[in-house]
Amino acid sequence: MMYHSLNNNAPQVSFREAVVNGLAPDKGLYFPLEIKQLPDSFFEKIKDLDHTTIAFEAIKQFVGDDIPETDLKEIVREVLSFDFPLVEVEDGIHALELYHGPTLAFKDIGARFMARCLGYFNRNKETQEKVTVLVATSGDTGGAVANGFYNVNGVEVVILYPSGKVSDIQEKQLTTLGKNISAIEVDGTFDDCQAMVKKAFLDGDFEGKRTLTSANSINVARWLPQMFYYFFAYRALKTQGKQVIFSVPSGNFGNICAGMMAQKLGLPIHHFVTGTNANKIVPDYLKTGDYVPQPSVATISNAMDVGAPSNFIRIQKIYNNDLAELRSQLSGYSYSDHETREGMQYLFKHYEYIADPHGAIGYLALKEYLKDDPKVTGVFLETAHPVKFLDVIPENIVAHIQLPEAIKALLHKEKKAEKISTYQQLKNSLLAD
Ligand SMILES: *Cc1c(COP(=O)(O)O)cnc(C)c1O
């Protein structure tokens, strides 16, 4: 399988190079050159297949010869070592809970898959040639990346986070792993962390000493495995002949775009719905036809505070830059923080279902779409465990949220982080060992 750059000004590369490069040299996102539909027989027997088999069949054409099938199957098996419950919240409406992974975030899947692919590609390298994944986090992504790469051979991870600006749970997730994961606590904001990471990538002094790479969602190895969720939900649904709609709370639009890839593979998805917070560039585009990126606005669903969604260009590619075609496949709605809180209250009051702010937006968007098309089966993606957002979930609901065992154990572990405040300190630290 070859990939091309969506900026059309870079050489085609295989999966391996696309993963190692992250972004193409012309700064474009990589996209597969062709997408082969899976055979009908696969969908006919999907209810009898296990998660590993389904995921392996979905991903294998995108990996091609770069990882042998037995190794790829083992990678997929390791990545998927937890549950993906589909909970019927009300008649015909289901929550697909994607937060049962090690850091309680749906990003666990992509991070774990990417980590194992890089680990495979680096399997024979000497210690001094280790790849260093450098990431800045405002909270969630860092934990998923740290955990995903934990103990992976040949890869070191250095995570920068803003001191005092991540939750206690998130800080523990970043700072207690040890081994190949180190945390750097920056006296500054998330933007300061991000600026340091960008500077390091451009700094020639690391050449020959450390190979720096990033692990953000533009990487095909983090993006594509998100297709699995849609297959798993479809397998678990009792559709009784009804059409299936997916509602996806979106920020960078990587998750929903992976769903569209699943549809390209032949998964019978009737329509997509996206819910956003006040960062509503895509819903506005669907309404007006004008695509106008904006500076991001802070909301209580902060993992979706994105003003220029990086994966939108992939969605345009999937629908041939045809707005009418896109509108026939995707509806979009946006919600204020107030509406998001009301959504959480509604779900709790009527169905005793506790949603996090992101999942609540997925639910609200699905309900809005169903007003016009009630005879379908709807699935909204629950992208994070509510326990990670206690400070913004209404108090009457917080009292009912149970701390998962894995998190309880984490809270007793000792934090290890290096404190820095300047880029030079980061550089010294990276060049020291
Ligand atoms: C990252 C994230 C999202 C948004 O996913 P995209 O792929 O960026 O659209 C939604 N919810 C949570 C909890 C997230 O962490």
Side-chain angles (χ1 to χ4, degrees):
M1 163 66 67
M2 297 300 278
Y3 290 79
H4 66 112
S5 162
L6 290 178
N7 282 356
N8 297 315
N9 204 11
Q12 291 176 7
V13 297
S14 71
F15 175 73
R16 179 193 176 123
E17 273 181 276
V19 175
V20 173
N21 294 351
L23 209 57
D26 63 357
K27 306 270 184 276
L29 270 66
Y30 283 116
F31 196 85
L33 263 189
E34 52 171 353
I35 301 165
K36 279 196 289 296
Q37 210 170 315
L38 296 170
D40 290 347
S41 57
F42 171 77
F43 294 102
E44 282 155 18
K45 61 176 192 229
I46 192 168
K47 305 252 173 204
D48 303 323
L49 302 177
D50 61 22
H51 281 170
T52 301
T53 308
I54 292 172
F56 171 73
E57 291 298 329
I59 199 81
K60 78 176 177 196
Q61 64 172 294
F62 298 102
V63 175
D65 299 331
D66 284 352
I67 302 178
E69 291 201 350
T70 40
D71 295 291
L72 180 61
K73 202 157 193 174
E74 182 57 20
I75 288 173
V76 170
R77 197 186 58 74
E78 279 177 31
V79 166
L80 298 174
S81 61
F82 47 86
D83 292 336
F84 298 82
L86 184 75
V87 179
E88 183 157 28
V89 172
E90 60 179 282
D91 208 21
I93 294 192
H94 308 75
L96 179 66
E97 294 182 351
L98 299 176
Y99 58 70
H100 296 273
T103 76
L104 314 179
F106 84 95
K107 292 187 175 76
D108 279 330
I109 292 292
R112 283 156 73 87
F113 185 77
M114 178 180 166
R116 279 161 183 77
C117 290
L118 267 186
Y120 179 83
F121 297 145
N122 288 324
R123 66 199 179 284
N124 298 324
K125 288 208 172 156
E126 300 298 320
T127 339
Q128 60 264 39
E129 287 185 57
K130 267 185 188 168
V131 169
T132 302
V133 172
L134 192 60
V135 263
T137 184
S138 57
D140 240 30
T141 306
V145 169
N147 205 288
F149 282 83
Y150 182 62
N151 246 341
V152 169
N153 229 354
V155 187
E156 275 183 36
V157 177
V158 177
I159 298 181
L160 279 69
Y161 71 96
S163 181
K165 295 191 179 65
V166 302
S167 74
D168 286 352
I169 290 176
Q170 288 172 335
E171 183 169 44
K172 291 282 183 175
Q173 286 179 330
L174 298 174
T175 59
T176 59
L177 284 165
K179 288 207 178 164
N180 61 328
I181 314 293
S182 31
I184 295 194
E185 182 175 2
V186 177
D187 182 17
T189 62
F190 168 63
D191 289 342
D192 296 326
C193 298
Q194 188 117 28
M196 286 188 193
V197 167
K198 283 197 178 143
K199 203 161 171 180
F201 284 133
L202 298 174
D203 192 333
D205 293 351
F206 291 110
E207 221 148 283
K209 297 182 181 116
R210 270 201 192 245
T211 308
L212 298 180
T213 185
S214 77
N216 56 15
S217 62
I218 51 151
N219 195 298
V220 294
R222 264 198 65 192
W223 168 52
L224 287 169
Q226 303 179 97
M227 292 187 297
F228 304 161
Y229 316 144
Y230 302 82
F231 285 93
F232 296 169
Y234 181 77
R235 170 185 182 267
L237 271 177
K238 294 180 183 61
T239 55
Q240 284 144 347
K242 288 185 184 167
Q243 285 167 324
V244 181
I245 312 290
F246 279 96
S247 175
V248 187
S250 300
N252 254 325
F253 283 75
N255 190 356
I256 196 168
C257 185
M260 291 163 174
M261 294 294 281
Q263 188 190 42
K264 283 258 164 204
L265 291 180
L267 190 69
I269 299 173
H270 179 59
H271 195 78
F272 289 96
V273 178
T274 182
T276 72
N277 56 31
N279 298 281
K280 56 189 176 71
I281 289 77
V282 173
D284 282 353
Y285 171 66
L286 291 168
K287 213 179 292 165
T288 64
D290 293 324
Y291 190 75
V292 193
Q294 303 280 347
S296 68
V297 181
T299 73
I300 61 166
S301 48
N302 60 13
M304 310 198 300
D305 293 350
V306 180
S310 43
N311 283 290
F312 193 67
I313 181 131
R314 286 183 170 139
I315 294 181
Q316 294 286 54
K317 173 74 185 171
I318 291 172
Y319 295 112
N320 303 313
N321 291 302
D322 180 339
L323 181 58
E325 171 73 7
L326 180 62
R327 279 176 173 151
S328 74
Q329 295 292 325
L330 174 68
S331 302
Y333 310 98
S334 68
Y335 299 92
S336 67
D337 284 350
H338 176 70
E339 289 167 321
T340 305
R341 286 198 177 89
E342 281 191 340
M344 289 188 270
Q345 292 285 22
Y346 183 89
L347 273 168
F348 185 64
K349 182 166 162 219
H350 294 276
Y351 307 109
E352 288 178 20
Y353 189 78
I354 301 179
D356 92 293
H358 307 79
I361 286 181
Y363 172 76
L364 290 169
L366 181 59
K367 288 285 273 192
E368 198 150 337
Y369 175 79
L370 291 180
K371 279 187 206 155
D372 296 327
D373 195 357
K375 287 193 276 305
V376 296
T377 293
V379 178
F380 68 96
L381 305 196
E382 230 310 9
T383 46
H385 195 297
V387 79
K388 296 170 92 178
F389 296 93
L390 296 181
D391 49 337
V392 294
I393 295 178
E395 263 174 45
N396 61 310
I397 303 177
V398 166
H400 297 268
I401 298 176
Q402 309 238 336
L403 213 54
E405 288 302 323
I407 296 293
K408 273 189 211 157
L410 199 63
L411 294 177
H412 299 295
K413 291 199 178 157
E414 192 195 342
K415 160 184 163 181
K416 283 211 184 81
E418 183 183 342
K419 275 202 158 188
I420 65 161
S421 47
T422 65
Y423 174 70
Q424 192 57 45
Q425 286 172 303
L426 172 66
K427 187 165 167 175
N428 293 345
S429 168
L430 287 174
L431 290 176
D433 37 50

